[in-house]
Amino acid sequence: MPTERGLIVQNDNGITMIEVWVGGEYRNHREYTSENLERRRNGSLPAGPDEMATDYPREILVETDSWSGWAGGWSKTDQVQLVLTSRATATDTLENINNLLHKDARHDRDGNIVFHSKQLGSGAMQGTEKFEAWFSGKDMRSSAPKLASIEIRAGDMLDGLILHMEDGSESKIGKCLGGKRSVLYIDPDDDLDYIIVNSGWCVDGLEFFTRQGRSTGWKGGKGGDKHIVKPPPGYCWMGITGSGAAWLDSLTMHFAKRK
């Protein structure tokens, strides 16, 4: 997750190592294993502050200014990769973090810097079309409409979403051609908190949760990998984009710092 300070990297199994690659060349790495935690804490093994906090952290803030200096420096035009190794020994590569932090961020009509999460799903289904829905967090100073309810169309797979706004407008994510209809209403003193998504080639299924603990229940299938999508602390949701044909085949969340 990109933020104004850097990139928040997450892994539910716990992170054991992050490697930094610049222009296709290895630069350095940080470790987060229990085996050398005490050595990192007592200074016998050089370590950054985040390496001394805990073993197997699930979430780490990569502050790009300090990490760039520690890894020999890079510019905003360099191809910078982060390779995460999890406790399950699986690796996940974040390609070109400069694009996530700079090129791909957008300014909305109120001047807010809107970042986006990693795209879930391939977006490659035959006949797929792109969709977008823009709204504002309830505690955000923004001229965008507030979210009133989330309608899900799903059966064994996820057909699509319809987002209903407080001003009466609505936006579709996906073609919503079939599936059973279910609706989560969001009270004026509540707001969207996080989403659990199963995805691989397409977006198989998901569940929305509000800040007050209400949810849609699981909708769609259980295939693909599990992802928990939540904005960084101090940020709120500002929109959803995605694509779909018969089913929803990609989903991306957008967020901005609360003001």
Side-chain angles (χ1 to χ4, degrees), residues 207-223:
E207 183 171 4
F208 288 90
F209 292 82
T210 73
R211 292 181 187 172
Q212 294 183 5
R214 299 175 61 242
S215 80
T216 58
W218 189 262
K219 305 299 178 184
K222 286 283 192 176

Side-chain angles (χ1 to χ4, degrees), residues 142-247:
S142 171
S143 59
K146 311 298 184 184
L147 193 59
S149 66
I150 301 171
E151 179 181 339
I152 301 177
R153 299 288 184 90
D156 293 334
M157 297 293 289
L158 190 64
D159 295 78
L161 313 170
I162 303 176
L163 282 75
H164 300 270
M165 310 302 173
E166 290 183 350
D167 65 0
S169 62
E170 63 180 48
S171 298
K172 291 197 304 183
I173 303 295
K175 294 184 178 180
C176 301
L177 298 177
K180 184 178 179 180
R181 177 181 181 268
S182 60
V183 180
L184 173 67
Y185 294 97
I186 300 176
D187 295 334
D189 60 345
D190 200 2
D191 208 354
L192 180 61
D193 189 12
Y194 68 97
I195 312 168
I196 298 177
V197 183
N198 272 34
S199 67
W201 186 70
C202 63
V203 181
D204 296 74
L206 52 68
E207 183 171 4
F208 288 90
F209 292 82
T210 73
R211 292 181 187 172
Q212 294 183 5
R214 299 175 61 242
S215 80
T216 58
W218 189 262
K219 305 299 178 184
K222 286 283 192 176
D225 297 323
K226 177 182 175 181
H227 306 271
I228 299 176
V229 188
K230 185 171 184 175
Y235 288 70
C236 62
W237 294 123
M238 295 292 286
I240 302 176
T241 56
S243 59
W247 304 311

Side-chain angles (χ1 to χ4, degrees), residues 98-173:
N98 272 331
N99 276 357
L100 280 174
L101 292 167
H102 305 294
K103 182 179 177 182
D104 292 345
R106 58 180 285 271
H107 287 77
D108 68 8
R109 60 191 177 192
D110 301 301
N112 299 306
I113 302 174
V114 181
F115 299 99
H116 67 80
S117 67
K118 178 181 178 181
Q119 176 180 301
L120 301 178
S122 67
M125 186 178 290
Q126 185 175 2
T128 193
E129 296 179 14
K130 294 183 178 181
F131 300 86
E132 59 183 34
W134 301 105
F135 51 89
S136 169
K138 298 287 181 70
D139 50 4
M140 184 78 172
R141 293 200 303 271
S142 171
S143 59
K146 311 298 184 184
L147 193 59
S149 66
I150 301 171
E151 179 181 339
I152 301 177
R153 299 288 184 90
D156 293 334
M157 297 293 289
L158 190 64
D159 295 78
L161 313 170
I162 303 176
L163 282 75
H164 300 270
M165 310 302 173
E166 290 183 350
D167 65 0
S169 62
E170 63 180 48
S171 298
K172 291 197 304 183
I173 303 295

